[in-house]
Amino acid sequence: MKRRTLIKGMLFASAGSWIATSRALASSCDNVIRFGSTHSPDSMNPFATNNPWWPLAFTYDMLVYVDAQRHSDRKGFAKEWAVADDDLTWTFKIWPGMKWSDGKPATARDAAFTYNYLRDSIGKPDELNAGWNSVYGLDDVKSIRALDDETLQIVTKEPTTWPLDSWVFIVPEHIWKDITYADAGSTFRNDPPLVGTGPMIVSEFQQGQFVRLTPNPYFRTGQPKTAGLILNHFDTADPIAQGLKSGDLAYGVGVTAAQWADLSKDPNIQVGESPIEQRNWLAFNCASGQGEGSTKALQDPAFRDAIGYAIDQKTIVERAFRGHADPGVGVTYPVAADYYSDLSDIRRYFDLAEAGRRLDAAGYRDTNGDGVRKDKEGKSFQLELITGNRAANLAIPIAAVQLIAGWLEKIGIPVSVTQLEPGALSARAAAPKKGGGGWDLLVSNDWGSPTPVDLLRMGNIALIGRQNQSYWDNDRFNQIIAEVRVTVDFKKSQELVNEAARLIYTEAPYVMLCYPFLLEAHRKDCFEGWGTQDMVSQWSYFPADRLTPV
């Protein structure tokens, strides 16, 4: 479950300065697609890292995953799939005649090898659990086998959509069969040229500089029409904006709101804001005992609910994100349209007076007229709010934190803000049993997937200190997650997610602030075929397979 906190290690290329990457930069109209981002990969080995996304997603296919379920023209290693009436037996039809980029047949046997290679490592000293290709979910699998070159069968122990949602990159057996688990999980770097079935294949990796990819001559829908793709990394977004203006870059992602506005004025540049599976939130420390906050009020749903009326999501979007986000509501994000609800019948509204009335009713009053409320033990509130940026692509605008602190001050709850470096933030937000906790409020974010399990992970007791950053534990919510895991029926899954979303909203271990957009831009004068809602997918190889010179 890593993505995306993963990430999500999310994006792509490697690092250094504008000068360091200059040899990978040139006019973007020389038929080489040049990307710019602020994220750097550390390895091309999908069993050892979940850092690089695009280099691996352009090179390898997953069996199905997100985009193949959303878009009929973005299929993965499997062309078609079906589940039997028992909801246990899954059959995947692999593209007939598909080849690896070295010309060798790519078959269901490679897919079976990839999964069984992982599965057979379970419980061993070198269990493969650190990279994109991880053992996660394979405990629930009974068997995986190739019935023939074009048919893969996965039989699970109980109903689950894991075979569709698994983020495992399918690798060639003839390359990986002799790699030990110890090497696959650590020292084997999988140096270029890689061998994959994607449209673009990693051919050069200069860590700290760039990743170069070349067209796959055997790609199943035909060799891409461009001469290749280069993923350039920069330490800040400034050279990305400059490169788009100068023509040195064809595409850039992660630009600031100010840069985005400036780029929008250039007639040769198309700007975009892609809805993504990111949530920015305010978490309450709901722990009791070890790791608990400065007051037991944090453990009281009535206190947390009242605070929710003191948070103005629309103002946060307008001032902190300059309009480049949707106002926060619940744990499901709008881009996961099949599961999203605006919770209109129970949704809070911004009203400081109402927040005050609810605090009074819950027993948190200003008893001596000093402007500061007291908890039920008679202690004056002084909450510590911790925050920080976990990654360049998961930045928290300090303006949002300042707004929250200001609103809470107005209702008699003083807040001190502690801004932490990524390592220190992770340590303090870790599970109490691992030394974390002791804080009161946390402003942070996560980037997940649109799968039901990922949507609900913020309240998952098994993920306390990881994706469950509030330390919240609720028996019914845990039961719903257990039911979701064994539910294949889509309508039933929707009902369960909706029940869980309403429950966690009412209990309020989090106040959702917003769902940020990914700010991106591409030049219009060199290539065509970019996406509209998403210029470049965060879930597959699109549009590396179909960009063509203008």
Side-chain angles (χ1 to χ4, degrees):
M1 306 203 67
K2 46 180 85 86
R3 184 170 163 99
R4 299 124 6 215
T5 9
L6 341 158
I7 317 189
K8 229 208 24 358
M10 144 194 167
L11 302 171
F12 19 79
S14 5
S17 67
W18 179 267
I19 295 174
T21 59
S22 60
R23 77 185 191 87
L25 294 169
S27 169
S28 58
C29 290
D30 61 359
N31 205 22
V32 175
I33 311 159
R34 288 175 169 82
F35 281 27
S37 83
T38 56
H39 195 81
S40 171
D42 52 13
S43 169
M44 292 296 117
N45 178 355
F47 294 91
T49 182
N50 62 7
N51 186 335
W53 169 249
W54 277 337
L56 297 181
F58 291 159
T59 296
Y60 297 113
D61 281 306
M62 294 183 177
L63 188 63
V64 180
Y65 207 39
V66 174
D67 258 14
Q69 297 179 69
R70 286 178 172 173
H71 305 278
S72 61
D73 60 343
R74 302 185 191 180
K75 295 291 179 62
F77 203 82
K79 183 180 180 181
E80 300 169 352
W81 54 87
V83 62
D85 291 341
D86 62 4
D87 286 341
L88 301 175
T89 305
W90 293 80
T91 302
F92 298 86
K93 300 302 292 185
I94 309 306
W95 294 89
M98 185 164 60
K99 293 182 178 181
W100 294 102
S101 54
D102 62 1
K104 294 185 178 181
T107 72
R109 304 184 198 285
D110 293 290
F113 163 79
T114 302
Y115 286 117
N116 286 321
Y117 181 74
L118 285 166
R119 191 163 167 253
D120 292 345
S121 80
I122 295 176
K124 292 183 169 62
D126 299 308
E127 180 179 284
L128 297 171
N129 55 21
W132 283 108
N133 286 14
S134 162
V135 299
Y136 173 75
L138 284 164
D139 279 336
D140 296 327
V141 172
K142 181 178 180 181
S143 66
I144 303 176
R145 62 194 183 111
L147 303 184
D148 54 48
D149 282 355
E150 296 178 10
T151 309
L152 178 75
Q153 182 190 79
I154 298 179
V155 181
T156 60
K157 297 174 183 177
E158 55 188 5
T160 174
T161 58
W162 176 87
L164 296 181
D165 301 330
S166 165
W167 55 70
V168 171
F169 289 109
I170 306 301
V171 299
E173 181 177 8
H174 64 278
I175 300 293
W176 287 86
K177 64 181 179 179
D178 296 323
I179 307 298
T180 67
Y181 291 141
D183 288 342
S186 58
T187 58
F188 182 65
R189 290 184 55 79
N190 197 27
D191 289 327
L194 274 55
V195 176
T197 51
M200 293 283 179
I201 306 299
V202 173
S203 58
E204 183 181 2
F205 172 35
Q206 295 293 333
Q207 189 168 355
Q209 296 183 41
F210 62 88
V211 181
R212 186 186 304 273
L213 300 95
T214 55
N216 180 358
Y218 300 105
F219 186 59
R220 53 188 169 269
T221 59
Q223 178 174 328
K225 305 300 183 189
T226 60
L229 189 152
I230 296 174
L231 303 171
N232 292 284
H233 167 80
F234 304 100
D235 295 328
T236 71
D238 290 341
I240 298 175
Q242 294 165 10
L244 285 164
K245 282 189 165 186
S246 67
D248 288 328
L249 295 174
Y251 171 81
V253 65
V255 296
T256 67
Q259 291 165 344
W260 188 91
D262 183 53
L263 292 170
S264 69
K265 302 172 185 176
D266 191 318
N268 292 315
I269 295 175
Q270 177 66 53
V271 296
E273 46 181 13
S274 294
I276 53 176
E277 291 79 359
Q278 183 176 330
R279 302 171 283 206
N280 285 27
W281 33 259
L282 168 69
F284 297 88
N285 182 343
C286 298
S288 174
Q290 185 180 14
E292 70 180 12
S294 65
T295 172
K296 293 190 181 299
L298 297 164
Q299 302 165 31
D300 182 357
F303 175 79
R304 302 192 299 257
D305 173 68
I307 297 299
Y309 284 87
I311 307 299
D312 186 352
Q313 284 89 345
K314 290 183 179 179
T315 295
I316 287 174
V317 167
E318 292 167 1
R319 295 188 186 177
F321 289 85
R322 300 196 184 185
H324 298 295
D326 282 326
V329 183
V331 294
T332 59
Y333 12 72
V335 71
D338 289 335
Y339 296 98
Y340 178 71
S341 170
D342 64 5
L343 304 175
S344 58
D345 60 323
I346 59 172
R347 187 170 178 172
R348 302 179 194 95
Y349 50 89
F350 177 62
D351 187 331
L352 293 176
E354 178 65 17
R357 284 191 290 271
R358 288 175 178 260
L359 287 170
D360 287 343
Y364 305 103
R365 298 173 175 271
D366 174 9
T367 56
N368 61 5
D370 64 354
V372 179
R373 293 178 181 272
K374 313 299 184 292
D375 65 15
K376 293 179 180 180
E377 285 73 45
K379 295 186 302 180
S380 295
F381 282 108
Q382 178 60 59
L383 302 185
E384 181 194 21
L385 186 158
I386 64 172
T387 190
N389 296 330
R390 297 180 185 273
N393 59 307
L394 290 173
I396 297 290
I398 191 61
V401 177
Q402 293 168 340
L403 286 167
I404 292 168
W407 289 320
L408 296 191
E409 183 86 29
K410 289 180 179 179
I411 60 171
I413 300 179
V415 172
S416 63
V417 175
T418 303
Q419 194 156 10
L420 300 169
E421 295 298 320
L425 180 62
S426 295
R428 291 208 61 189
K433 66 181 180 180
K434 293 187 177 181
W439 48 271
D440 298 318
L441 306 173
L442 166 64
V443 172
S444 191
N445 52 28
D446 73 327
W447 191 333
S449 81
T451 63
V453 171
D454 254 16
L455 291 172
L456 303 182
R457 67 187 188 177
M458 293 177 68
N460 190 338
I461 186 177
L463 299 176
I464 282 179
R466 291 182 287 166
Q467 283 78 28
N468 182 347
Q469 294 274 258
S470 68
Y471 310 150
W472 183 64
D473 179 10
N474 180 278
D475 289 342
R476 177 52 188 156
F477 196 90
N478 296 329
Q479 183 182 358
I480 294 172
I481 289 179
E483 292 180 42
V484 165
R485 288 187 180 281
V486 295
T487 299
V488 173
D489 180 76
F490 175 64
K491 191 173 188 301
K492 177 62 175 175
S493 181
Q494 283 182 311
E495 292 172 355
L496 288 168
V497 170
N498 183 60
E499 180 186 350
R502 296 174 70 85
L503 173 59
I504 196 171
Y505 187 87
T506 303
E507 290 285 311
Y510 303 89
V511 174
M512 206 60 54
L513 304 178
C514 66
Y515 314 104
F517 301 145
L518 186 67
L519 300 186
E520 55 189 345
H522 71 77
R523 291 193 64 85
K524 303 175 184 177
D525 51 359
C526 296
F527 302 98
E528 56 187 9
W530 304 96
T532 50
Q533 186 179 34
D534 54 347
M535 290 181 178
V536 176
S537 174
Q538 308 304 315
W539 297 106
S540 75
Y541 50 76
F542 174 86
D545 61 323
R546 66 199 70 185
L547 287 177
T548 57
V550 172

